[in-house]
Amino acid sequence: MTRLLWIPRGIGLGLLAFLIFGPLLNLLLWAFAEKWFYPNAFPSDWGFSYWGRVFSPRGAAWEALGNSLTVALLTVALSLMLSIPAGYALARLPLPAKALILLSFLIPQAFPNLTVYVNIARIFYQFGLNGTIAGVVIVHTVHGLVLSVWIATAAFSAVPRDGEEAARSMGAGPFRAFRDVTLPQALPGLLAAAIFVFLESLDEFTGSYFVGAPDVQMLPLTLFTAAGGGNYQIASITALLLLVPSIGFMLLVERFLKADVLARVGK
């Protein structure tokens, strides 16, 4: 009887694999399909003509890719500039209401994105930030701080105080002790935070749409436009451009983000 238990387990694993890899397989099929009509199970013609259209000068894929990477990198830089001192202070200093401060970074996530970005767009219009890279970076950073501050706090909390205290006792100043002792040990967690922020920025659509469109073209906007117009091949190719770095960076996150850091998230 116990030998038959592999049957429901196999069925369950097969369904799980289908749910995970089925959409990815469909994405790959559409990316290389020239003609695919119902009720055919597979495309009738294959080719790369849509790839040429996506990367042609009129396709604007290079512009969207360049803008997306630029915004993501600037968002990472700004998020880390803010989250490193904030995370260190929350992990090391006897601040009152630390839990409340950490929860305050979740406020942008507590409300529907649509209503938040409509009001942000109205405010940005007054300061000339709508339709600019700077405006999109600021919006993405608001979301990125949720991840970067929490992970930075956990990363600094996981670093023992002994090394920093020993450096201070030997004459090192507070900044030098932080730079030479604490920061290198917290670096894996900070790198993981940077990767998470980069991926969050790369995939962000709502903020990019309300603040950046139509002047700042981004890959999620290109994907939305193509899918809304029924151009499934172009939409699939654009989705692959977003998917490849996401998979690569998630593998890096798995390497850098250790269990002791995860255990301290929210503490």
Side-chain angles (χ1 to χ4, degrees), residues 116-150:
V116 172
Y117 287 129
V118 166
N119 286 279
I120 288 177
R122 181 181 60 82
I123 296 172
F124 276 18
Y125 268 120
Q126 299 175 0
F127 294 95
L129 289 172
N130 260 63
T132 65
I133 293 289
V136 178
V137 169
I138 293 172
V139 169
H140 286 201
T141 302
V142 172
H143 268 281
L145 284 176
V146 176
L147 295 169
S148 60
V149 170
W150 278 62

Side-chain angles (χ1 to χ4, degrees), residues 27-36 42-55 233-234 236-237 240:
L27 191 70
L28 287 172
L29 292 176
W30 271 114
F32 297 98
E34 294 290 326
K35 296 180 181 179
W36 192 359
F42 294 99
S44 55
D45 290 325
W46 304 81
F48 294 90
S49 65
Y50 285 96
W51 287 81
R53 289 175 56 183
V54 168
F55 291 103
Q233 290 91 337
I234 295 177
S236 299
I237 294 169
L240 287 177

Side-chain angles (χ1 to χ4, degrees), residues 11-223:
I11 294 174
L13 290 174
L15 290 174
L16 180 62
F18 176 78
L19 291 175
I20 295 174
F21 296 107
L24 296 179
L25 178 60
N26 187 68
L27 191 70
L28 287 172
L29 292 176
W30 271 114
F32 297 98
E34 294 290 326
K35 296 180 181 179
W36 192 359
F37 301 108
Y38 180 85
N40 296 335
F42 294 99
S44 55
D45 290 325
W46 304 81
F48 294 90
S49 65
Y50 285 96
W51 287 81
R53 289 175 56 183
V54 168
F55 291 103
S56 67
R58 296 181 59 185
W62 289 115
E63 179 187 358
L65 179 60
N67 287 338
S68 295
L69 292 176
T70 299
V71 168
L73 292 173
L74 291 175
T75 301
V76 168
L78 184 57
S79 296
L80 290 181
M81 286 175 57
L82 297 173
S83 62
I84 288 177
Y88 181 83
L90 289 168
R92 288 284 199 263
L93 303 181
L95 299 176
K98 287 185 180 180
L100 185 61
I101 295 174
L102 282 171
L103 286 175
S104 67
F105 287 97
L106 296 176
I107 290 177
Q109 307 287 349
F111 301 96
N113 285 343
L114 187 61
T115 56
V116 172
Y117 287 129
V118 166
N119 286 279
I120 288 177
R122 181 181 60 82
I123 296 172
F124 276 18
Y125 268 120
Q126 299 175 0
F127 294 95
L129 289 172
N130 260 63
T132 65
I133 293 289
V136 178
V137 169
I138 293 172
V139 169
H140 286 201
T141 302
V142 172
H143 268 281
L145 284 176
V146 176
L147 295 169
S148 60
V149 170
W150 278 62
I151 297 177
T153 302
F156 286 120
S157 298
V159 176
R161 298 173 180 261
D162 301 345
E164 190 172 348
E165 292 173 354
R168 294 291 303 277
S169 67
M170 297 178 66
F175 178 76
R176 185 174 181 182
F178 167 79
R179 183 193 65 188
D180 296 342
V181 178
T182 306
L183 185 60
Q185 295 184 68
L187 193 58
L190 297 177
L191 287 175
I195 293 171
F196 273 121
V197 172
F198 184 89
L199 295 177
E200 176 78 12
S201 175
L202 199 65
D203 293 335
E204 172 62 35
F205 168 75
T206 311
S208 302
Y209 178 78
F210 279 98
V211 176
D215 301 293
V216 182
Q217 189 61 246
M218 310 278 288
L219 280 179
L221 301 181
T222 304
L223 173 60

